[in-house]
Amino acid sequence: MRHVPSTLGFGSLTLKILGLGLGCGIVACGCSKNAPPPPKIVAPRPVAVAPEQPAAAADLATLRQSLAVAGDKNVRVLLIDDIAKLGQNAKPALDDLLTCATDADPRIRWHAVRAVGLIGEDALPGMPTLLTLLSDADPIVATQAAAAIGLIRQDDGREKIPDADATVYAGAAEQLIKSTTHPDARVRRAAVRAVQKLITAPEQVMPLISKQLADADPSVVMPALHTLADMDDAAVPFLLEALKNPKARYWASVALTEIGPAAAPAVEPLARLAAEGETTERMQALLALAAIGEQAAGAAPAMIKALESDDDALQFAAAFALGSVRAADADAALELAAKDDDAFLGEVAAWARARIHPADKPLLEEAVKRLRQGLRSDRPNERTAAAAGLSDLAEKLDEPARLELATEFADLLDDESTDVELSGGAALIRLGASSVETLRLSLTNPARQDKVLVILASLGPTAKPAVGDVIKLLSDSNPVTRQDAAVAIAAIGADAAAAVGELTKLLDDETAAGRAVLYPAAYALGRIGPAAKPAFEKLRTLAKSEDEMLATVAVWAAVKIEPGDASLFEMAIPALRQAIRGDREIVRLEAAVALGEIGPAAVAAIPILELVAEEDPVKAVRAAAAEALTRIKLQ
């Protein structure tokens, strides 16, 4: 009955999906269905590993001389990148690079720091500068500083490190550990990776990071743990160590919950915590075990113990966990709980029994009956859980029953509780194609219209049957509705080619309200792809706009429509390089994919793509950047 992650954030849907911050609403995430499917994952190249073929166009002395006199920032960046291609042979330029690492322009700083890291062990004298840059105001500079520190130590293959150098590395490790709670996820990831290179013994690393998490303010602990969770099984050893620390074990359980099945090595300590910790710790441990799933079935005794306790909160969490892990030996305890006077506990227990015995039709029918009653409860948390539970069981139901549920879930979109709204929306998304007809009908309800467009966007191509209804809303008098409709069309993608005409009209709207719709309209045309060719020339014109974001979206869309048009590359590559450095996830993902589609002509984007492929906080973006690197290097 766990909530399904979704892009739902009801209210007015805006272009947060494009990172334009025009209001509140949809928030793009790695799991959203409105983003393009992640490209084939290719093992990413380390951030600062030099290409196999060093640049030979000019010798180092010439490059250094040109860098010393270059005034144009873009030229300086390219010269630094050429020096970086020389790897350890660039050692004589170390001082030049360290000077550039303190430049006022953050782009010059991070390219210079990257080049320093590529020099390897011989760049050790630059460590003080790199340590200072861990606190740089620009997160990409700080990220590259952490990566460079790790690469220097990784390249240092001396069996016995002199005491003086060992002291430098120890100081660097201490600073990096502090950066594991940096506000920016990219810096946190790079810091964790670098620490692993500086301190090769896990038993030394883990207590240090655990202590940092335990001592930090909770407001910074959660983002740090989220970063660890995003690293999946690579983070589990850290979190296992953190479970031993009374100050950190709750937060470690939270992170393990996010990791899910890959956290299976933590089942035993989580089971102990679920049986013996404080109430909040036991609850979170139970939720972590539930997220691990059937691999955590061995923890059933601890879950049953919690279910049989007198603590209501523990009972709910335990029943949920037992159902999630399909603990067959819990049937008697769950059967008793299903008869409890508390209807909510009874619903959760009934859901759990149906999960454990998926072929038992009477148990399924009983669970569905009770959960549907829960949808009408006067307790918002019960309505929320009931919607999640029903959507979880829906795959076992026939199509007529699924269609009935779609109607009931749609009614939750009018609920006074935001949590219930979100749960209803997530349930509709999980129903997939079975919800589309209900959603189409709901588009005629003004109170639900914008919420439904968000859900259709989350369904992506599955929402194709609703294309005609959504196209009508592209001419709605409300600009917010037009924005929402354009984003829904974008999510449907190539199957929404019928919308090209209306979307192209939106590109001509120069009113203040109309300009706000330009961005999603251009984005939608790009997502439709080659079928949007009638809009190509207009987009090409908008690509020269003084509005930097509009120009970026327009040139991206033009490349998606005509990927083989080399005349676009000159304006597209700088814009896409800029976009992939941004803090909006969907923009970075689309920029990476577009650069990959451009291919070898986008060679200037290799440094930033290397960074993104390693350190971006979103897996889909990392995968897209890695795939782009592979395509660009196919010469």
Side-chain angles (χ1 to χ4, degrees), residues 269-330:
L270 285 170
R272 289 197 298 270
L273 185 57
E276 302 171 1
E278 298 293 330
T279 296
T280 54
E281 293 173 341
R282 294 178 69 185
M283 282 183 61
Q284 191 57 54
L286 288 166
L287 293 176
L289 291 166
I292 292 170
E294 294 182 47
Q295 297 178 86
M303 300 177 193
I304 293 171
K305 178 180 178 181
L307 180 62
E308 294 174 342
S309 73
D310 295 328
D311 190 313
D312 291 348
L314 285 178
Q315 290 175 336
F316 297 135
F320 170 59
L322 288 165
S324 298
V325 306
R326 300 186 190 275
D329 51 351

Side-chain angles (χ1 to χ4, degrees), residues 153-188:
R153 179 63 185 92
Q154 185 179 30
D155 187 54
D156 193 339
R158 292 175 290 178
E159 291 186 10
K160 173 64 177 176
I161 305 292
D163 290 345
D165 291 349
T167 300
V168 172
Y169 285 135
E174 182 179 350
Q175 291 298 314
L176 286 165
I177 287 170
K178 291 180 180 178
S179 293
T180 61
T181 51
H182 190 281
D184 191 279
R186 291 166 290 187
V187 181
R188 297 194 296 267

Side-chain angles (χ1 to χ4, degrees), residues 68-388:
V69 299
D72 184 272
K73 294 178 180 180
N74 293 324
V75 172
R76 295 183 71 194
V77 166
L78 294 175
L79 287 168
I80 291 170
D81 286 348
D82 279 343
I83 293 173
K85 292 175 184 177
L86 299 174
Q88 64 182 25
N89 294 323
K91 178 183 176 182
L94 178 60
D95 288 342
D96 304 322
L97 295 171
L98 292 173
T99 297
C100 290
T102 61
D103 192 272
D105 189 318
R107 288 183 60 227
I108 292 175
R109 293 202 301 277
W110 79 255
H111 280 267
V113 171
R114 171 180 177 270
V116 169
L118 286 167
I119 293 173
E121 171 190 350
D122 291 335
L124 185 60
M127 190 68 78
T129 299
L130 297 176
L131 292 174
T132 298
L133 291 173
L134 286 175
S135 302
D136 195 274
D138 186 277
I140 294 182
V141 176
T143 297
Q144 285 289 43
I149 292 168
L151 286 167
I152 291 171
R153 179 63 185 92
Q154 185 179 30
D155 187 54
D156 193 339
R158 292 175 290 178
E159 291 186 10
K160 173 64 177 176
I161 305 292
D163 290 345
D165 291 349
T167 300
V168 172
Y169 285 135
E174 182 179 350
Q175 291 298 314
L176 286 165
I177 287 170
K178 291 180 180 178
S179 293
T180 61
T181 51
H182 190 281
D184 191 279
R186 291 166 290 187
V187 181
R188 297 194 296 267
R189 282 181 56 86
V192 171
R193 295 168 66 89
V195 168
Q196 290 175 306
K197 294 173 183 175
L198 265 70
I199 306 177
T200 56
E203 66 273 13
Q204 296 176 14
V205 179
M206 296 171 195
L208 294 173
I209 293 184
S210 177
K211 183 177 186 302
Q212 173 71 7
L213 295 177
D215 292 346
D217 185 273
S219 64
V220 300
V221 168
M222 279 305 299
L225 288 174
H226 182 76
T227 294
L228 284 173
D230 187 63
M231 297 175 77
D232 287 335
D233 53 349
V236 173
F238 291 91
L239 298 170
L240 284 171
E241 188 66 27
L243 283 175
K244 300 176 184 177
N245 186 331
K247 292 183 178 180
R249 62 191 184 190
Y250 173 81
W251 302 112
S253 298
V254 172
L256 290 165
T257 303
E258 286 198 49
I259 292 174
V267 167
E268 187 175 336
L270 285 170
R272 289 197 298 270
L273 185 57
E276 302 171 1
E278 298 293 330
T279 296
T280 54
E281 293 173 341
R282 294 178 69 185
M283 282 183 61
Q284 191 57 54
L286 288 166
L287 293 176
L289 291 166
I292 292 170
E294 294 182 47
Q295 297 178 86
M303 300 177 193
I304 293 171
K305 178 180 178 181
L307 180 62
E308 294 174 342
S309 73
D310 295 328
D311 190 313
D312 291 348
L314 285 178
Q315 290 175 336
F316 297 135
F320 170 59
L322 288 165
S324 298
V325 306
R326 300 186 190 275
D329 51 351
D331 200 52
L334 286 168
E335 184 176 9
L336 183 62
K339 300 173 183 176
D340 195 271
D341 291 338
D342 189 310
F344 189 15
L345 177 59
E347 291 165 16
V348 179
W351 167 85
R353 295 190 73 202
R355 284 267 302 172
I356 293 169
H357 304 286
D360 191 321
K361 190 173 181 180
L363 283 181
L364 175 63
E365 291 175 347
E366 176 64 17
V368 170
K369 175 183 175 182
R370 297 186 67 164
L371 290 168
R372 291 179 74 173
Q373 291 172 346
L375 291 178
R376 296 183 289 276
S377 169
D378 58 0
R379 294 192 288 182
N381 63 334
E382 187 173 346
R383 298 197 298 277
T384 298

